[in-house]
Amino acid sequence: MTTDFTATRAMFHLPEGVVYLDGNSLGPMPKAAAARVEHTVTAEWGDMLIRGWNLAGWMAQPSRIGDRIGRLIGAPAGTVVMGDTLSIKVYQALASAFEINGSRRVVLSDTGNFPSDLYMAEGLCRTLGPEYRLVTVAPEAVADAIDDSVAVLMLTEVDYRTGRKHDMAALTAKAHAAGALTVWDLAHSAGALPVDLTAANADFAVGCTYKYLNSGPGGPAFIYVAPHHAETARPALSGWLGHEAPFAFDLSYRAGRGVERMRVGTPPVLQLAALEAAMDVWDMADIHDVRARSIELTDAFITGVEASCPTLTLASPRDGTLRGSQVSFRHAEGYAIMQALIALGVIGDFRAPDILRFGFTPLYTTMDDVTRATTILAEVMAGNLWDRPEYKAKALVT
Ligand SMILES: *Cc1c(COP(=O)(O)O)cnc(C)c1O
């Protein structure tokens, strides 16, 4: 292992007394992000004003950062671009894939997918016409459900609830053999485990940056378009910054070069500044090392929790190679248990109806964190510390 995880951990601001196991939902703040945003606000926006678009390179930032993310997901330079939120990027990828595969009307997904992806697919189908439809099957049934009616297979590689990981290469090959295209959502993959979009021959991929890439709340999403589609894919959301020549102010749309056409409007410069600083951490880390350490941490957590908390049921695959970088347990009182844990300094999260979710992020999660979290969880369970009215009142965000 060549990655120095003590050094990467030192690059994050981690509040005293907290074991943070929710970087799969919102990554912690890289120390350099605060300084970088401050610089962008005062020295760039403040002093350069409108000149910042050229002088500070704001306009090129979505592609520049896209290339850096591309290195983590097996995407060549010039195939990834930043912007908007993940839900929007799902819609764009799906719309383009439907258009390329013009004679078919079905998008196939699974019931473990994140609801927003399914909602966006439903909304797009409604817009395209009554014959378009979203079909969902159980995650285990996806491979067998791919047939020649499917235009697009749209899957999230790692299940947000259970952490179960699809076999991207095998499912993509199966989809292609049936004449379908693929849209892969990497929300719980990018920065969590090695992804090789090129080797898997994926058509489109999307993902967010505020989870394992630590861009901060509201950080923009990314979209990948395979090189062989990049000059033909037509963006459904054809905004001016995806135009071939935005500053020609033509009255009609001409798609820009390659993946640049997936840009829509003005990029979120302040969020991108935070993300650009966060990406510096990856210059010190090898994603294969991250994966190996992640499996060690998650295996140790499963072993520790199963030994000390008999009423919690493992919801994640036991085999580390079959899950992402999170571990989930089921319990009917999962929400209250998580609130008690958070009150005691162990931050994970809860996903309805009964999932306690813990993310392990080797860039800053240590084996000590695993031990502390296991000990405190065992205390919460053994002493029924969760059984208090204040832990049962649901907050807006769980
Ligand atoms: C986190 C997540 C989202 C969130 O989408 P936003 O538009 O960024 O709010 C969407 N899809 C999946 C699979 C996710 O895990």
Side-chain angles (χ1 to χ4, degrees):
M1 213 174 273
T2 56
T3 305
D4 179 351
F5 288 114
T6 307
T8 57
R9 181 177 162 90
M11 297 176 86
F12 289 91
H13 172 77
L14 298 164
E16 205 57 50
V18 167
V19 176
Y20 193 58
L21 302 180
D22 210 6
N24 52 315
S25 206
L26 177 68
M29 185 185 78
K31 289 172 185 163
R36 178 62 198 265
V37 171
E38 156 77 18
H39 176 85
T40 303
V41 168
T42 56
E44 297 181 1
W45 177 21
D47 290 338
M48 294 178 188
L49 297 161
I50 189 79
R51 295 169 294 178
W53 288 106
N54 290 320
L55 285 181
W58 295 341
M59 196 48 92
Q61 208 175 20
S63 317
R64 191 166 73 228
I65 302 180
D67 284 348
R68 294 181 77 179
I69 291 178
R71 281 178 229 141
L72 294 176
I73 56 174
T79 60
V80 177
V81 75
M82 312 304 302
D84 315 297
T85 75
L86 178 49
S87 304
I88 301 286
K89 277 1 217 180
V90 167
Y91 187 94
Q92 271 189 301
L94 200 51
S96 291
F98 257 135
E99 197 172 350
I100 292 171
N101 218 354
S103 62
R104 299 186 181 191
R105 301 288 179 263
V106 170
V107 50
L108 175 66
S109 191
D110 73 56
T111 52
N113 205 346
F114 191 78
S116 196
D117 296 37
L118 302 177
Y119 302 160
M120 294 312 276
E122 276 181 334
L124 175 62
C125 287
R126 206 164 52 238
T127 305
L128 290 174
E131 64 281 22
Y132 285 83
R133 65 205 165 88
L134 165 67
V135 173
T136 53
V137 298
E140 304 72 29
V142 167
D144 289 337
I146 299 170
D147 61 27
D148 62 10
S149 72
V150 177
V152 194
L153 176 64
M154 176 189 79
L155 294 173
T156 297
E157 187 189 20
V158 174
D159 188 298
Y160 76 105
R161 263 196 240 119
T162 64
R164 176 207 34 75
K165 183 173 158 297
H166 276 306
D167 185 337
M168 182 188 293
L171 287 169
T172 300
K174 183 116 204 246
H176 287 169
L181 295 180
T182 55
V183 172
W184 284 99
D185 189 327
L186 305 178
H188 296 274
S189 306
L193 44 93
V195 175
D196 196 338
L197 293 171
T198 302
N201 202 14
D203 299 288
F204 294 86
V206 293
C208 50
T209 59
Y210 49 80
K211 292 171 181 164
Y212 292 92
L213 296 175
N214 313 305
S215 67
F222 63 84
I223 184 166
Y224 161 83
V225 182
H228 60 284
H229 295 308
E231 298 298 339
T232 44
R234 297 209 310 169
L237 302 175
S238 35
W240 73 304
L241 289 187
H243 192 280
E244 189 182 20
F247 287 86
F249 297 105
D250 287 344
L251 291 186
S252 55
Y253 184 80
R254 289 194 314 277
R257 271 189 314 115
V259 77
E260 290 269 335
R261 66 187 56 195
M262 293 297 169
R263 291 176 65 160
V264 182
T266 304
V269 172
L270 300 183
Q271 291 280 177
L272 284 166
L275 173 57
E276 197 153 36
M279 290 309 293
D280 288 347
V281 179
W282 292 101
D283 293 341
M284 299 177 55
D286 180 328
I287 190 73
H288 295 91
D289 293 347
V290 169
R291 177 65 168 159
R293 178 60 63 90
S294 156
I295 290 178
E296 280 171 25
L297 296 172
T298 49
D299 278 351
F301 187 67
I302 291 172
T303 305
V305 173
E306 288 195 324
S308 57
C309 306
T311 58
L312 295 180
T313 312
L314 182 65
S316 300
R318 194 170 292 281
D319 176 349
T321 64
L322 300 181
R323 59 174 188 257
S325 202
Q326 69 179 69
V327 172
S328 304
F329 285 94
R330 289 185 199 280
H331 191 289
E333 293 291 346
Y335 182 79
I337 294 166
M338 185 52 74
Q339 295 311 303
L341 268 179
I342 293 171
L344 293 168
V346 178
I347 303 183
D349 62 19
F350 171 77
R351 286 294 175 262
D354 59 356
I355 295 267
L356 290 141
R357 199 168 68 146
F358 302 92
F360 294 83
T361 40
L363 294 181
Y364 52 87
T365 307
T366 63
M367 201 51 97
D368 265 2
D369 290 335
V370 171
T371 309
R372 267 183 68 199
T374 310
T375 306
I376 294 172
L377 178 55
E379 285 166 12
V380 166
M381 298 311 294
N384 285 335
L385 305 187
W386 52 267
D387 196 6
R388 289 161 59 159
E390 68 265 35
Y391 294 151
K392 298 184 185 179
K394 288 252 166 68
L396 208 51
V397 174
T398 64

